[in-house]
Amino acid sequence: MMNADNNLVNYLLHLADTTLILSQRNSEWCGHGPVLEQDIALTNIALDLLGQSRNFYQYAAIVSGNNHTEDTLAYLRTEREYKNLLLTEQPNGDWAQTILRQYLFSQFQYLYFEQLQYSADTQIAAITAKALKEIKYHVRWSSEWVIRLGDGTEESKVRMNAAIITLWPYTGEMFMPASYEQTIAFRGIGYDCSELKEIWQQKVKTIFEEATLIVPEKVFMQTGGKNGTHTENMGYILTELQYVQRAYPNCEW
Amino acid sequence: MQDEIKNITAILETVSDPEIPVLSVTDMGIIREVKMNGDSVEVIITPTYTGCPAMDMIAMNIRLALIEKGYRNVIITSVLSPAWTTDWMTESGKQKLKAYGIAPPQTPSGIPSDGTIACPQCHSTNTRCISEFGSTACKALYQCNDCKEPFDYFKCH
Ligand SMILES: [Zn+2]
């Protein structure tokens, strides 16, 4: 049997895990949103992200060989095997923190998928080109909320600033490629994420300025998610996400 | 064989979208191609939205409809590229949507500015967007300022 393309599998899992975990976090809001329309907006975004992650898992399962399916990859891997961005696993906190997490990620994801739609791998190109149409809405919705909260009431601004302090240290990782990412980028399948740092910062700065918020400078950046070293949040997320398959192995409905 | 494919296309026109039952899967532009290979039929479909939860059900309904008409070997293949667009929705599909109370997608893509989408009830364009995210991934929530009815707008995609 031919050896599976491990770098490609790891890369696909990184993309799949990142979208799955943010989807899982957003869906925790289901039924708890501040108003019905926003509850629906966030769960719609969760659904889009879940769809993207399924596409990446299905493809990862094919590439890996090993009898994997999208379900075994999502439900039966441990914390150290998950390769999602640390940003996506951060708690929902309040509405400001959820909004800011979504904006910082969507703004990055849009720029990143804009490049991946030209991937030499036709499946990655197809998945990302399709997802871009949806991400455009996520960026618009979340950036409008960042502006509304930042340039809103005294209270909403305090909360936005607190969210920035909490989440900013997890943004650096988006632009630091793991070794499998570097290999995949070199092969024309992925893209060097470090190239997007400047334009992402510019985009965020424009929105923050409109929101009368300040972009932090010289913050120590946390890393590790891409290689399976997570914050303490991750175990709790997987406990809930994987509970049914762990408690009743192979159950189906 | 052309007749056979015509026959299959006619059957597909009877398979409705589970979320918008007035539209068939052909109206939606989900069917990309029908292929015959000996006695096996391959129907190539494409999802509307990446996370559309109706796709599995649509694939199953297509299979059932064809089996019911005597086709034994039915293969449903889902492709992502080129990405689905509301441009593939048929004209009659758009009319059916409107009659059902959902404002059909308008070009150009994106969320149109307030005052451009016609209310499916009273046809006034004095309408506004309440939320870009509606009851399903493909819809936005609007309200008519004249007759006050809230309505769904099928987003241009
Ligand atoms: Zn009206």
Side-chain angles (χ1 to χ4, degrees), chain A residues 40 44 51 130 133-134 140, chain B residues 47-48 50 84 132 134 155 157:
Chain A
I40 291 171
N44 261 287
K130 188 164 181 63
K133 292 186 167 199
E134 295 144 20
R140 192 164 50 212
Chain B
T48 51
T50 302
W84 179 82
E132 295 192 1
K155 289 190 269 197
H157 196 63

Side-chain angles (χ1 to χ4, degrees), chain A residues 21-32:
Chain A
I21 297 303
L22 187 54
S23 171
Q24 176 75 8
R25 274 301 193 207
N26 283 346
S27 57
E28 289 172 18
W29 273 102
C30 186
H32 301 276

